[in-house]
């Protein structure tokens, strides 16, 4: 992989400092509250807040509210009164959906085989989840999660919030926000295509190996995107840290592709030295565990800086421009700061 020349790129210098300088403390409740004026309107720009989240992260006590802005549950331009109105409306809508579900549940069970199969799959997958951390603290209410997922399925449409209606709507907005990113199977193929293009351009030696002995390796990395990389981290705190960065859209859209590329680079030397074939490469990738989210985010930021340096991305932090290859590295779309809430 080509070595960066930080002195030749402002973006590279910024990314290098991000990986070398110890991260500042995350945004805590006191600092978050200071972002708002007396009417509850944000006095700090959305862009500034998102950059801070990228560089520092959020304290766990702040996530409950901050994620509502990041997912679109709340508008960034809303006042406190407007947010209270939104909460009330969403609670009523959720209660109406629950009533609707109760009325049609028997009909679904009798007439729709897909519903029964989906319910069994949800129940099966939920039972496999780790519901407690290493200290015995409860991470997930499995019954609550099953209800939310079933209702989401019926309506065709992290649990870090207290009320079910908030959980449901956050889940809905989270799926919409990451429609072309890395939640469940939505857009996974596009992510894998972009990852393959990225390897071709930045690391042709590795790409040639993957086309030969490692054929099919990139396609087999589907779980990385389906599970938002959570299996690779040492704690759920690291999972939240990465997810909230992805939700900011900083430093660019589809940042998860750069994260995946950075993870592949961790096994690159071993793969080439041992001339690994596909199955051994996948095993090496699956053995990437106990990772630190900050280290991984920093490494991905360096990749982002290299893309800018090579002229594949504009220097303003918008990853929506087309590259010089057969397809863009990142889908063409509105820059994050111009997109709708």
């Amino acid at each position: 992989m080509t070595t960066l020349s930080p002195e030749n790129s402002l973006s590279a210098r910024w990314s290098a400092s991000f990986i070398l300088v110890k991260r500042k403390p995350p945004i805590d409740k006191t600092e978050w509250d200071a972002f708002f004026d007396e009417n509850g309107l944000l006095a700090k720009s959305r862009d500034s807040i998102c950059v801070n989240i990228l560089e520092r992260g959020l304290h766990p006590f702040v996530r409950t509210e901050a994620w509502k802005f990041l997912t679109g549950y709340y508008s960034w331009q809303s006042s406190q009164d407007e947010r209270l109105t939104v909460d009330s409306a969403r609670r009523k809508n959720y209660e109406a959906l629950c009533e609707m579900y109760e009325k049609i549940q028997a009909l679904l069970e009798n007439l729709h085989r897909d519903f029964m199969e989906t319910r069994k799959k949800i129940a099966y997958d939920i039972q496999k989840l780790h519901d407690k951390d290493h200290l015995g603290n409860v991470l997930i209410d499995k019954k609550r999660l099953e209800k939310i997922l079933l209702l989401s399925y019926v309506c065709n449409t992290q649990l870090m919030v207290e009320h079910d209606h908030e959980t449901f709507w956050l889940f809905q907005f989270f799926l919409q926000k990451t429609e072309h990113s890395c939640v469940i199977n939505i857009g996974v193929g596009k992510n894998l295509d972009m990852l393959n293009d990225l390897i071709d351009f930045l690391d042709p030696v590795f790409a040639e190996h993957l086309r030969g002995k490692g054929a099919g390796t990139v396609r087999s990395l589907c779980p990385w995107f389906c599970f938002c990389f959570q299996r690779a981290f040492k704690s759920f705190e690291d999972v939240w840290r990465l997810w909230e960065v992805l939700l900011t859209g900083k430093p660019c859209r589809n940042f998860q592709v750069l994260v995946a590329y950075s993870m592949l680079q961790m096994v690159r030397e071993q793969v080439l030295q041992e001339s690994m074939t596909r199955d051994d490469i996948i095993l090496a990738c699956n053995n990437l565990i106990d990772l630190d989210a900050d280290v991984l985010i920093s490494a991905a930021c360096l990749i982002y800086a290299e893309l800018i340096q090579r002229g594949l991305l504009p220097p303003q932090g918008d990853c929506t421009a087309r590259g010089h290859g057969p397809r863009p590295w990142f889908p063409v779309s509105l820059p994050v700061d111009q997109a709708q809430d």
Side-chain angles (χ1 to χ4, degrees):
M1 180 176 172
T2 301
T3 304
L4 282 173
S5 300
E7 67 275 12
N8 296 328
S9 168
L10 290 175
S11 297
R13 285 203 295 271
W14 174 81
S15 293
S17 66
F18 183 64
I19 197 170
L20 295 174
V21 177
K22 182 177 176 59
R23 179 166 66 104
K24 295 179 182 178
I27 299 169
D28 61 19
K29 189 68 168 64
T30 300
E31 185 175 0
W32 177 262
D33 290 343
F35 292 163
F36 299 84
D37 64 18
E38 62 276 7
N39 295 316
L41 291 165
L42 278 171
K44 199 176 182 71
S45 73
R46 169 186 178 179
D47 187 69
S48 176
I49 292 173
C50 287
V51 169
N52 264 282
I53 293 173
L54 167 66
E55 295 179 344
R56 299 166 52 196
L58 294 166
H59 190 279
F61 291 162
V62 175
R63 288 197 176 112
T64 297
E65 183 173 4
W67 274 50
K68 292 179 181 178
F69 288 91
L70 291 173
T71 60
Y73 180 101
Y74 288 150
S75 166
W76 290 88
Q77 286 77 41
S78 63
S79 66
Q80 178 64 27
D81 288 343
E82 289 170 335
R83 291 194 290 276
L84 290 173
T85 300
V86 166
D87 280 332
S88 177
R90 297 205 192 285
R91 182 174 60 254
K92 292 177 181 178
N93 289 341
Y94 175 75
E95 291 169 353
L97 288 172
C98 288
E99 291 180 8
M100 177 272 294
Y101 173 69
E102 290 297 326
K103 292 178 180 178
I104 67 172
Q105 183 177 358
L107 184 64
L108 290 170
E109 292 174 353
N110 292 327
L111 299 181
H112 293 274
R113 181 185 303 173
D114 288 347
F115 172 77
M116 296 299 293
E117 292 178 353
T118 300
R119 187 165 68 176
K120 289 178 182 178
K121 289 178 181 178
I122 289 174
Y124 177 74
D125 287 341
I126 287 176
Q127 289 308 311
K128 293 191 296 183
L129 293 175
H130 296 293
D131 57 352
K132 295 182 180 180
D133 63 17
H134 64 287
L135 298 176
N137 299 312
V138 175
L139 295 171
I140 298 170
D141 183 331
K142 291 185 176 181
K143 288 292 184 183
R144 180 184 175 199
L145 177 58
E146 184 174 355
K147 175 185 176 184
I148 298 296
L149 292 176
L150 266 176
L151 190 56
S152 294
Y153 169 73
V154 170
C155 296
N156 189 32
T157 38
Q158 6 293 341
L159 299 181
M160 300 175 299
V161 288
E162 181 179 355
H163 305 293
D164 283 359
H165 76 278
E166 292 179 337
T167 303
F168 173 80
W169 289 114
L170 269 179
F171 182 66
Q172 299 291 70
F173 282 111
F174 185 76
L175 290 180
Q176 293 173 21
K177 187 81 172 182
T178 53
E179 181 179 1
H180 301 296
S181 301
C182 53
V183 176
I184 58 176
N185 288 319
I186 302 175
V188 170
K190 182 179 292 186
N191 278 272
L192 294 171
D193 286 341
M194 288 188 289
L195 176 59
N196 204 56
D197 284 347
L198 201 57
I199 299 168
D200 278 342
F201 188 82
L202 291 179
D203 198 344
V205 173
F206 195 31
E208 186 62 29
H209 183 89
L210 294 179
R211 278 193 292 270
K213 289 190 173 183
T217 297
V218 173
R219 282 285 157 188
S220 298
L221 296 177
C222 178
W224 278 5
F225 294 97
C226 289
F227 297 104
C228 295
F229 310 97
Q230 63 174 297
R231 292 178 175 175
F233 291 115
K234 62 183 179 182
S235 71
F236 239 85
E237 175 63 29
D238 290 273
V239 176
W240 301 141
R241 169 77 174 116
L242 176 62
W243 284 9
E244 63 200 15
V245 167
L246 296 180
L247 287 172
T248 66
K250 300 294 183 184
C252 60
R253 293 286 297 274
N254 300 303
F255 187 59
Q256 71 279 351
V257 177
L258 305 189
V259 170
Y261 180 86
S262 300
M263 290 172 67
L264 264 179
Q265 288 293 302
M266 295 178 184
V267 301
R268 178 188 187 276
E269 293 306 315
Q270 179 187 3
V271 168
L272 294 180
Q273 288 177 7
E274 299 178 17
S275 193
M276 286 184 175
T277 57
R278 173 187 172 277
D279 290 343
D280 288 331
I281 297 173
I282 295 303
L283 180 61
C285 289
N286 289 337
N287 286 335
L288 289 173
I289 58 175
D290 295 334
L291 300 183
D292 184 292
D294 282 316
V295 172
L296 191 56
I297 291 167
S298 298
C301 282
L302 285 175
I303 304 304
Y304 168 68
E306 181 161 0
L307 289 173
I308 292 178
Q309 187 181 42
R310 292 186 174 211
L312 283 174
L313 299 174
Q316 302 302 317
D318 173 21
C319 285
T320 61
R322 291 186 179 272
H324 302 306
R327 21 171 126 79
W329 304 124
F330 299 88
V332 177
S333 58
L334 284 174
V336 171
D337 299 323
Q338 296 177 17
Q340 293 181 344
D341 289 318

